[in-house]
Amino acid sequence: MDEKLYAIELAGQCNELTAWRILKDASAAMLDANASSVDPSRIEIKDDGSFALAAPSDAELKGFDAPETCHGTTAANSGVWSLAASLFYIVMGCQVMNGKGGSAQHESSRLPFMRSTWPKLSALIQQCLDYHPERRPSMQEVNTMAAEQFMTCSETVKKGPKFQEKTLDQGRPDSDAIAAFWPEAMQSANK
């Protein structure tokens, strides 16, 4: 029995290197197939660790179509939006636009941000999710940047983990220890 694995199974557990590889491989496959949409259940994990597009099925997930597609038109960069929404789901474990995808996006909608520790990937995904298709990068631009960043990230991983210097006073049991432990910036609830 040859069971296939799909990127949707990585949802919420995807590291940066894998995210760049998914973006690189899936954008190349979309360029080859001239595909205008994708969802995480169509991104197949190959035996060698690469990713490919599986054929569309009747059980495609909703919420991964670009806003213009949801409103009955298509644009050259609709696939870019779809791929970005798919990658956002794979990395974060939730869909964009409060789980409603492109059908809920409007011109004034705030673009989601993934992780401050992954600034290049997060910024690229935001650009790809722009409401206006003409402001999005082309699929070729996405593929080129993903290939470059995949190589950079691979080299960083080969060098080993980067250790942060401890700046805490280990003798002070206060809220500074919690704030320093948490990787994202925290804001007071009183603001």
Side-chain angles (χ1 to χ4, degrees):
M1 186 168 122
D2 190 26
E3 188 174 325
K4 294 183 179 184
L5 297 175
Y6 297 90
I8 194 168
E9 298 171 52
L10 300 173
Q13 305 297 318
C14 185
N15 63 38
E16 185 180 14
L17 180 63
T18 303
W20 281 118
R21 184 160 193 182
I22 292 169
L23 199 56
K24 174 182 78 72
D25 293 351
S27 62
M30 290 179 77
L31 281 166
D32 290 343
N34 201 21
S36 61
S37 70
V38 69
D39 69 64
S41 69
R42 283 192 54 211
I43 301 173
E44 183 181 344
I45 304 171
K46 304 302 276 180
D47 290 339
D48 65 357
S50 65
F51 296 87
L53 286 186
S57 69
D58 295 336
E60 286 189 43
L61 300 176
K62 302 292 183 212
F64 296 95
D65 287 328
E68 62 273 10
T69 305
C70 295
H71 300 302
T73 62
T74 56
N77 286 358
S78 296
V80 168
W81 195 100
S82 181
L83 179 57
S86 296
L87 189 70
F88 186 92
Y89 179 83
I90 294 165
V91 170
M92 301 302 291
C94 60
Q95 286 183 286
V96 296
M97 305 301 155
N98 295 322
K100 297 177 184 167
S103 64
Q105 188 176 15
H106 302 285
E107 191 169 359
S108 61
S109 297
R110 293 184 68 185
L111 294 174
F113 191 79
M114 289 194 317
R115 297 203 167 127
S116 62
T117 54
W118 303 354
K120 289 183 180 182
L121 183 60
S122 297
L124 178 60
I125 295 304
Q126 277 192 318
Q127 292 169 356
C128 293
L129 291 173
D130 196 296
Y131 180 78
H132 299 283
E134 67 276 4
R135 293 183 191 167
R136 297 176 200 148
S138 70
M139 189 66 77
Q140 184 59 56
E141 290 170 326
V142 170
N143 181 259
T144 300
M145 182 171 183
E148 290 169 1
Q149 291 304 313
F150 175 72
M151 292 305 294
T152 301
C153 198
S154 294
E155 291 301 318
T156 302
V157 168
K158 286 178 186 174
K159 291 177 186 174
K162 182 173 94 175
F163 294 101
Q164 295 178 346
E165 291 183 31
K166 292 190 178 196
T167 57
L168 293 177
D169 177 3
Q170 298 294 337
R172 285 186 7 201
D174 58 15
S175 62
D176 287 344
I178 294 170
F181 167 76
W182 200 258
E184 301 290 329
M186 299 176 76
Q187 297 178 356
S188 172
N190 297 334
K191 284 188 176 181

